[in-house]
Structures are given as structure tokens and as C-alpha cells.
Amino acid sequence: MSHRIAIVGHSFVARLEESLKSDNIPLDTSLGLPSCNVKYFGLRGATTQKLIRSNELIECENFRPDTVFIQCGGNDISPDSTVVTVVEGIRDLVDKLQTIDSVKLVIIGSLFPRAKPRYMTKETYNSEMCKINSFLEKHYSPHSNVHFWRIRGLQNPKWNIFLNDGVHLNDKATKMYAFQVKMAVGCRDFR
């Protein structure tokens, strides 16, 4: 029986799946993980609350994954949000995923910086993003069935990782992201 992995989140997940289906990345949608069935549930523009109420999450539940990697929270950061409200939204999504009886592990991907966030300066956005990542890392470090995965190489990049919109990843950064997701869901230390 194959290990079932769900990749759930906002547009980064939808764009990752599209890139893997094209020839932009030298991996396929299985991320090169033998005997794994990997499915993507990406909702463009989604906040954590939209994800919780989405058809994508219902489809994820029906898929009955063993492991879920989530990429969310970036769209929740706004002038009206606080670190606490964003973290609570992510925690709500983690709690919802843990109600799926097949799920043994939830991995939270770190939030990404943005060069052109909406309605706030990039300095303010990126400062909030760093605080949220730090909180999630500390909060989930003692958990055996929920882990925080810091996306390496894309948190404080010395090169441009963005498309012209200043939010979404360019091809080179998407390739790095794909390999980070592969490492996160393929890490045997979690299981």
C-alpha cells in the first residue's frame, strides 16, 4: 500500500503542481518519492479560514492522506491582522486536518517573504512573517505529529526569488521550493 501525501495551501501549492506537470522542474507530481501517492490541493488567494471551508479540504479528506504538508498563512497577514490571529488560523487548519482519521503527520511549511505585499510595506509584512514563523517553530517543536518545516534558501534570499508581482515564486525559486517540499514529506525522522 502506498503512502498518501497531501500538499494543501494557497496559490504556491497550485503553482507548484502546475510547474511539476510541466517540464520546468526535474521532478514529477510524486516528487520522486517511491511508493507515494501525492495529491495537491491548492486554492489561489486562500487564507487559512477559506481553506478550512473549501472544497479542496473536502477533497483532501476524501483522499485520506497519511501525511499533510500545508503552505498557508501568507495571505492572512494584513494591516488588520496580528501574529496571534494568523497563528490561530494556521492552528485551526492543523486541528481540522488532525480530525481526518488517516492523518498521522501534519507538516507546516514556513511562510515566505514578499517583495510587494498588498496594503503594507514589505518591511512590515516580512517582520510579521518572521515572528509568525518563529512562533510556529517554537510552538510545534515538541509535537510528535505536527512539525514546522523551515523552507531553506528562500527565507532571506540574496537574489530575486519573485515573479514581477513580488509575491509568487519565479521558476528557479519554485524548483528550490519543490525540493524542500520533497525533503519535508520524505523525511523519515518524522515518522
Side-chain angles (χ1 to χ4, degrees):
M1 184 157 90
S2 68
H3 188 78
R4 298 165 85 78
I5 300 170
I7 313 294
V8 177
H10 52 49
S11 59
F12 278 39
V13 172
R15 288 171 176 269
L16 175 62
E17 181 181 25
E18 289 169 1
S19 290
L20 290 167
K21 286 181 176 178
S22 73
D23 288 329
N24 292 347
I25 299 174
L27 291 173
D28 59 16
T29 54
S30 73
L31 298 170
L33 297 169
S35 68
C36 289
N37 183 0
V38 183
K39 291 220 184 229
Y40 298 79
F41 304 93
L43 180 61
R44 295 176 189 273
T47 61
T48 52
Q49 292 307 312
K50 284 182 186 174
L51 272 172
I52 289 169
R53 298 186 307 269
S54 71
N55 287 333
E56 284 75 9
L57 203 62
I58 293 168
E59 291 171 18
C60 177
E61 289 177 33
N62 292 337
F63 175 58
R64 301 188 43 73
D66 303 293
T67 300
V68 181
F69 179 92
I70 60 174
Q71 188 68 61
C72 65
N75 293 333
D76 294 84
I77 300 173
S78 73
D80 299 325
S81 69
T82 65
V83 169
V84 172
T85 60
V86 175
V87 167
E88 285 175 349
I90 295 168
R91 193 175 327 159
D92 289 347
L93 179 58
V94 168
D95 291 347
K96 175 80 171 162
L97 290 166
Q98 289 184 309
T99 66
I100 303 170
D101 62 355
S102 62
V103 172
K104 296 169 186 59
L105 176 64
V106 176
I107 304 166
I108 304 165
S110 59
L111 281 68
F112 284 81
R114 291 189 177 178
K116 298 178 189 173
R118 284 180 264 186
Y119 315 117
M120 60 195 328
T121 66
K122 73 177 185 177
E123 291 79 17
T124 301
Y125 178 93
N126 293 335
S127 173
E128 292 297 291
M129 179 263 319
C130 286
K131 291 174 191 171
I132 292 162
N133 283 341
S134 292
F135 184 91
L136 291 168
E137 190 167 31
K138 287 177 188 151
H139 179 73
Y140 285 111
S141 64
H143 289 255
S144 61
N145 57 351
V146 181
H147 294 279
F148 177 81
W149 186 269
R150 190 166 292 277
I151 306 292
R152 289 153 187 85
L154 299 173
Q155 293 300 301
N156 298 304
K158 303 293 185 241
W159 51 281
N160 181 24
I161 64 172
F162 302 107
L163 294 173
N164 289 336
D165 66 7
V167 173
H168 297 102
L169 300 176
N170 63 29
D171 286 346
K172 182 178 176 184
T174 299
K175 181 179 177 180
M176 289 180 70
Y177 177 54
F179 281 97
Q180 283 292 311
V181 172
K182 176 184 178 174
M183 285 193 298
V185 299
C187 184
R188 300 292 178 208
D189 292 340
F190 289 163
R191 297 188 202 142

